[in-house]
Amino acid sequence: MANIQEIAKLAGVSSATVSRVINHKPHVSSETRAHVQQIINQLDYVPNINAVSLKKGATKMLGIVAPTFSDSLGTFLKNFTLAAQQGGYNVTLFLTGLDKQKELEAFERLRNKQLDGLVLVIRLNEWDVLESYAKYGPIVTWQRVEDRNIQSVFMNQYDGYMLALEHLYEKGYRKIVNAYGNTAGLNTKSREKAYADFCQKYDLNPNEFKHFYNQGHMSEGETMARWWVDQTHKPDAFVMATDYLASGLVTEAKRLGLSIPQDFAVVGFDNTLVAHLLDLTTIHYPIGKQGENAFIMIDNQLSKRTNPLEALSFHLVERLTT
Amino acid sequence: MANIQEIAKLAGVSSATVSRVINHKPHVSSETRAHVQQIINQLDYVPNINAVSLKKGATKMLGIVAPTFSDSLGTFLKNFTLAAQQGGYNVTLFLTGLDKQKELEAFERLRNKQLDGLVLVIRLNEWDVLESYAKYGPIVTWQRVEDRNIQSVFMNQYDGYMLALEHLYEKGYRKIVNAYGNTAGLNTKSREKAYADFCQKYDLNPNEFKHFYNQGHMSEGETMARWWVDQTHKPDAFVMATDYLASGLVTEAKRLGLSIPQDFAVVGFDNTLVAHLLDLTTIHYPIGKQGENAFIMIDNQLSKRTNPLEALSFHLVERLTT
DNA sequence: TTGTAGGCGTTATCAG
DNA sequence: CTGATAACGCCTACAA
């Protein structure tokens, strides 16, 4: 395999000159430049990137770390990767499952210089152990975090959730059931708070109905449709944690012969493909833009620039379920 | 940043000994080993992986190259990545868009030693230019290819498509419309062939209805529902190129007040989440297993092993649209 | 069992 | 404008 020395010898110059040609640096006469370039082409030479990385102490590689592969992650990953590639970086994916150790492995890559930066979608380990890696390179997360060493593209879902509630109120719905996500999650807390404030504002009883806490699987939405049928005192609207959950509810309702929004209204969250597919009213969650921002933040730190971030906001997408 | 020399000095040994300790090589007394290890822990030292890669000429990194991010790619990527991680590799994603140059960049990574192997989901460049990179490392593709230097996890869709057709026939449907994918694609050819053979076998007229060629977007399925309404001589079944296409057809049909499978039957392809969501009868396409096989093939070449591949086959998933 | 020293392929600093 | 040469951090014969 050809290396820079070989090129130098064949071109009758020093390796320094070859290096200058490769990296388009000045101080090479155009004749020598052309000549060296010709030899390079002739031998089909490319620089060994590991040597470059070793020398420069940077790899132009970023990592993205998440426990599992979901639709949302797909969107995030896609936009992040595209932005990164645009900026001259490549990105490698770490799927951690539920394995804390696996997550640490990704962070070790930052330490051992294989990665210049990292975006952590959902963490497994405690913040303080992850935070200790910040000194090895920029870390950005999707989640909310109070740490000046780790930046975040977090969006407070309070605002988005309130959008859904206000929309329902405006449409005349008063008997609203909430299906939240993970009990422990911060997003759930924000949404609960939004609902509490909403009830206070309009003088509604926040505990008129059961509150659901789900893992986001479609089948849990299906269960809720059957739950509705069983109730004597029935709600007239559902706000669902995700579009998938909502789609479970909607499709099962149809199987049961119910009609939406006549029997009850449904609002999803995220505005993913299924929402379009099922004509779901939903809250648009700009995950793609968050991915782009994640890159911008990393890039800004790495290159000490200060490029502006994309503006992020939720908005309501009204379709046929309300 | 601590390096091997520094550890050596502090431990009062040579860097060679430290290296032996790091890599768990024999010929080190357990006392020195323990001592060196202690210094390593103390200084929180990790080897610089770029130096290791440079020395060894391998990175334990694989690439995955695709034009755009889709649901199917997500499944493939997920399984491939998980398998790769299991085998001690990490994988980096290259999104090429429609840019041939971008695709070549990924292949250059193979050449310049940043990647040990590559899986090409959908190619942009011609096979012969891509094939010329095979000498730099193993390449596996999702597509069909006649090239002994590039392996493939391709599955002939003839078989899967025939499954759909036979199922419809068995259910009594005789007036079948086909919605294929890209005109140029090999999969389309296989499917056309399956349909031709099917018609021959049962003595049907293969050109009784228009043949559709689509890009796979949902809206094209929607268009087909409206097309059906406009026909005087109506078909009684549709075989759709993808579940998404099928879901467009099904949801639009419902909006138009049609009922499935009474007005017409629909069979999808891929068995993705939407198929479950909409109770679509479909053909299960084991994309995840193809991803795993892609890794096994690469790993076999890289480590000169010969691990067995997963068995791959289509099967029918009968739901409520037939 | 341990150490010495050369080399992996580049880049960057100095001289010239 | 060009060339020597010293790093970058690690591994591995070969010696001791």
Side-chain angles (χ1 to χ4, degrees):
Chain A
M1 189 73 15
N3 62 20
I4 205 174
Q5 307 293 346
E6 195 175 334
I7 303 293
K9 203 191 306 172
L10 265 71
V13 298
S14 77
S15 65
T17 300
V18 178
S19 177
R20 290 188 188 102
V21 172
I22 295 167
N23 298 294
H24 306 99
K25 299 236 169 149
H27 309 308
V28 183
S29 76
S30 46
E31 299 93 66
T32 29
R33 190 181 293 276
H35 180 221
V36 168
Q37 188 60 57
Q38 188 204 324
I39 305 284
I40 287 176
N41 297 337
Q42 201 169 303
L43 288 215
D44 211 28
Y45 161 83
V46 280
N48 180 318
I49 216 167
N50 295 125
V52 177
S53 298
L54 171 59
K55 185 65 193 172
K56 294 203 169 158
T59 51
K60 288 300 204 173
M61 277 277 215
L62 304 177
I64 182 166
V65 188
T68 146
F69 203 92
S70 67
D71 222 40
S72 306
L73 176 58
T75 315
F76 190 95
L77 177 61
K78 173 183 173 175
N79 290 71
F80 179 75
T81 303
L82 254 19
Q85 288 184 173
Q86 202 73 19
Y89 290 84
N90 283 121
V91 2
T92 120
L93 173 66
F94 294 82
L95 255 24
T96 55
L98 296 174
D99 186 357
K100 288 184 171 195
Q101 211 48 48
K102 210 78 196 164
E103 184 174 72
L104 286 182
E105 271 177 42
F107 280 72
E108 283 294 318
R109 301 300 175 157
L110 199 60
R111 190 144 86 101
N112 67 25
K113 302 289 188 188
Q114 186 166 48
L115 257 30
D116 290 350
L118 209 55
V119 24
L120 175 64
V121 181
I122 312 257
R123 80 190 162 91
L124 259 32
N125 287 275
E126 295 304 318
W127 280 122
D128 52 356
V129 7
L130 299 176
E131 192 265 335
S132 69
Y133 284 87
K135 57 176 169 294
Y136 305 118
I139 300 174
V140 170
T141 176
W142 196 31
Q143 298 183 287
R144 173 170 163 181
V145 55
E146 304 285 356
D147 188 321
R148 65 190 60 203
N149 291 316
I150 298 184
Q151 292 195 45
S152 165
V153 293
F154 172 80
M155 289 177 70
N156 192 341
Q157 301 210 345
Y158 181 99
D159 308 324
Y161 208 72
M162 192 57 97
L163 241 38
L165 294 169
E166 291 282 6
H167 170 69
L168 287 173
Y169 191 87
E170 196 175 303
K171 285 274 187 170
Y173 300 101
R174 296 291 181 275
K175 297 188 281 183
I176 299 172
V177 165
N178 298 273
Y180 304 109
N182 273 329
T183 323
L186 191 67
N187 289 339
T188 297
K189 298 238 182 306
S190 305
R191 292 172 182 201
E192 287 174 322
K193 180 71 164 62
Y195 185 63
D197 290 355
F198 170 78
C199 287
Q200 173 132 36
K201 176 174 176 188
Y202 294 111
D203 198 26
L204 301 172
N205 172 13
N207 294 311
E208 183 174 356
F209 297 100
K210 177 180 174 183
H211 291 239
F212 287 82
Y213 294 87
N214 299 281
Q215 301 308 309
H217 195 270
M218 243 171 42
S219 63
E220 297 174 303
E222 296 172 0
T223 307
M224 289 177 66
R226 294 189 292 272
W227 172 86
W228 185 88
V229 171
D230 289 343
Q231 304 306 300
T232 46
H233 179 54
K234 292 184 196 300
D236 61 8
F238 289 87
V239 187
M240 308 296 286
T242 67
D243 288 336
Y244 277 115
L245 211 49
S247 64
L249 171 60
V250 168
T251 52
E252 183 70 4
K254 284 184 185 160
R255 280 184 210 112
L256 295 171
L258 306 176
S259 56
I260 294 176
Q262 288 72 34
D263 285 312
F264 55 78
V266 177
V267 182
F269 207 100
D270 288 350
N271 194 26
T272 51
L273 195 58
V274 284
H276 174 97
L277 206 63
L278 297 174
D279 283 323
L280 234 52
T281 292
T282 191
I283 303 299
H284 178 76
Y285 184 18
I287 296 178
K289 284 195 177 173
Q290 288 183 296
E292 289 174 32
N293 274 355
F295 171 69
I296 295 173
M297 284 178 175
I298 290 178
D299 189 40
N300 279 345
Q301 287 185 65
L302 246 22
S303 53
K304 290 166 182 18
R305 249 173 305 185
T306 165
N307 286 331
L309 300 175
E310 304 250 7
L312 257 34
S313 69
F314 292 100
H315 66 261
L316 178 83
V317 179
E318 186 172 354
R319 296 206 183 88
L320 307 181
T321 57
T322 53
Chain B
M1 188 75 14
N3 62 21
I4 205 174
Q5 308 292 348
E6 194 175 335
I7 303 294
K9 203 190 307 173
L10 264 71
V13 297
S14 76
S15 64
T17 300
V18 178
S19 176
R20 290 187 189 104
V21 172
I22 294 168
N23 298 293
H24 304 100
K25 298 238 167 146
H27 310 307
V28 184
S29 76
S30 46
E31 299 93 66
T32 27
R33 191 181 293 276
H35 179 222
V36 169
Q37 188 60 57
Q38 188 204 324
I39 305 286
I40 287 176
N41 297 338
Q42 201 170 303
L43 288 216
D44 209 30
Y45 161 82
V46 280
N48 179 320
I49 219 169
N50 296 124
V52 177
S53 297
L54 171 60
K55 186 68 195 174
K56 294 203 171 158
T59 51
K60 289 299 206 173
M61 277 276 214
L62 305 177
I64 181 166
V65 188
T68 145
F69 203 93
S70 66
D71 222 38
S72 306
L73 176 58
T75 315
F76 190 96
L77 177 61
K78 172 183 174 175
N79 290 71
F80 178 75
T81 303
L82 253 20
Q85 288 184 174
Q86 202 74 18
Y89 290 84
N90 283 121
V91 1
T92 120
L93 173 65
F94 295 82
L95 255 25
T96 54
L98 296 174
D99 186 356
K100 289 185 170 194
Q101 211 48 47
K102 208 80 196 160
E103 184 174 72
L104 286 182
E105 271 176 42
F107 280 71
E108 284 295 318
R109 300 299 175 157
L110 199 61
R111 190 145 86 99
N112 68 24
K113 301 289 191 188
Q114 186 168 46
L115 257 30
D116 290 351
L118 210 53
V119 23
L120 175 63
V121 181
I122 311 256
R123 79 188 162 91
L124 261 30
N125 288 275
E126 295 303 318
W127 280 123
D128 52 357
V129 7
L130 300 176
E131 191 266 336
S132 69
Y133 284 87
K135 57 176 170 295
Y136 304 118
I139 300 174
V140 171
T141 176
W142 196 31
Q143 297 182 287
R144 173 169 163 184
V145 55
E146 305 284 357
D147 188 321
R148 65 191 60 207
N149 291 317
I150 298 183
Q151 291 194 47
S152 167
V153 293
F154 172 80
M155 291 178 68
N156 191 341
Q157 301 210 344
Y158 181 100
D159 308 325
Y161 208 73
M162 192 57 98
L163 241 39
L165 294 169
E166 291 282 5
H167 170 67
L168 286 174
Y169 191 88
E170 198 175 301
K171 286 274 186 169
Y173 300 100
R174 296 291 181 273
K175 298 188 282 183
I176 299 173
V177 165
N178 297 273
Y180 303 110
N182 272 328
T183 325
L186 192 66
N187 288 339
T188 296
K189 298 236 181 311
S190 304
R191 293 172 182 200
E192 287 173 322
K193 180 71 165 62
Y195 185 63
D197 290 356
F198 170 78
C199 286
Q200 174 131 36
K201 177 175 174 186
Y202 294 112
D203 198 26
L204 300 172
N205 171 12
N207 294 310
E208 184 174 353
F209 297 100
K210 176 180 174 183
H211 291 239
F212 287 82
Y213 293 87
N214 299 282
Q215 301 306 310
H217 194 269
M218 243 172 41
S219 63
E220 296 174 303
E222 296 173 0
T223 307
M224 289 178 66
R226 295 189 291 272
W227 171 86
W228 185 87
V229 171
D230 290 343
Q231 303 306 301
T232 46
H233 178 55
K234 291 184 196 300
D236 61 7
F238 289 87
V239 186
M240 307 297 285
T242 67
D243 288 337
Y244 277 114
L245 212 48
S247 63
L249 172 60
V250 167
T251 51
E252 182 70 4
K254 283 183 185 160
R255 278 185 212 113
L256 296 171
L258 307 176
S259 56
I260 295 176
Q262 287 72 35
D263 285 313
F264 55 80
V266 177
V267 181
F269 207 100
D270 289 348
N271 194 27
T272 50
L273 194 57
V274 284
H276 174 94
L277 205 63
L278 296 173
D279 283 322
L280 234 51
T281 294
T282 191
I283 303 299
H284 179 77
Y285 183 18
I287 296 178
K289 284 194 177 175
Q290 288 182 295
E292 290 174 31
N293 274 354
F295 172 70
I296 296 173
M297 284 179 176
I298 290 179
D299 189 40
N300 279 346
Q301 287 185 66
L302 247 21
S303 55
K304 291 166 180 20
R305 251 172 304 186
T306 162
N307 286 332
L309 300 176
E310 305 249 6
L312 257 33
S313 68
F314 291 100
H315 67 261
L316 179 83
V317 179
E318 186 174 352
R319 297 204 182 89
L320 308 181
T321 56
T322 52

